[in-house]
Amino acid sequence: MLDKLAHYQKIGTELVHRFSDIRFTGQVLFGVVVVLISWSGAKAVQSNYGLQKQISTLQQQNAVQQLANNNLKLQNEYYNTNQYLELSARQNFGLANPGETEILIPKSVALANTVAVPEVTTTP
């Protein structure tokens, strides 16, 4: 037990003598500074990567919203056309252009004269 204690005391005194040498102390401090700078750089890269992911996600959401807005704009433009107004008047109010005659066919008669369409099966 005393041998181990003496051995550790010897190692301790050698370390104290090493740190009293300015060259060794300078190298240790330089190593510590390099490690701290590297750690800081790695954290900055990680932070920038996370922010870039957020920016990319927000840009994609913005593009999707712009497409939705464009679709609504086109839909609103269609609703203001004469073609839509005419179709709407025909469907909702039973109106027709001057000189046209509207013929109303009961649903049962119309369905009785339809032809069954065979189902098309697709093979993968």
Side-chain angles (χ1 to χ4, degrees):
M1 183 78 161
L2 291 177
D3 290 339
K4 286 185 180 181
L5 184 60
H7 177 68
Y8 289 130
Q9 283 180 345
K10 183 179 176 185
I11 291 174
T13 55
E14 286 177 8
L15 283 176
V16 169
H17 287 304
R18 275 188 163 178
F19 277 105
S20 64
D21 182 16
I22 191 73
R23 291 176 292 180
F24 179 76
T25 306
Q27 288 177 347
V28 169
L29 288 176
F30 179 75
V32 169
V33 168
V34 167
V35 167
L36 290 176
I37 289 173
S38 298
W39 183 262
S40 174
K43 284 293 193 180
V45 168
Q46 182 181 9
S47 174
N48 286 342
Y49 177 75
L51 291 173
Q52 190 62 39
K53 278 178 47 177
Q54 285 180 344
I55 288 170
S56 177
T57 302
L58 291 174
Q59 285 175 340
Q60 289 174 354
Q61 289 174 355
N62 190 22
V64 168
Q65 193 61 45
Q66 284 179 347
L67 290 174
N69 288 344
N70 287 341
N71 285 341
L72 288 175
K73 181 180 176 184
L74 290 173
Q75 191 175 18
N76 285 336
E77 288 176 4
Y78 171 70
Y79 289 149
N80 289 328
T81 62
N82 289 334
Q83 181 183 8
Y84 172 75
L85 294 176
E86 183 179 332
L87 286 174
S88 179
R90 286 177 187 265
Q91 288 176 353
N92 297 329
F93 304 115
L95 299 178
N97 284 332
E100 290 182 343
T101 304
E102 189 171 319
I103 300 174
L104 299 176
I105 300 173
K107 188 175 184 179
S108 60
V109 173
L111 291 177
N113 293 312
T114 59
V115 177
V117 178
E119 289 188 28
V120 178
T121 58
T122 58
T123 57

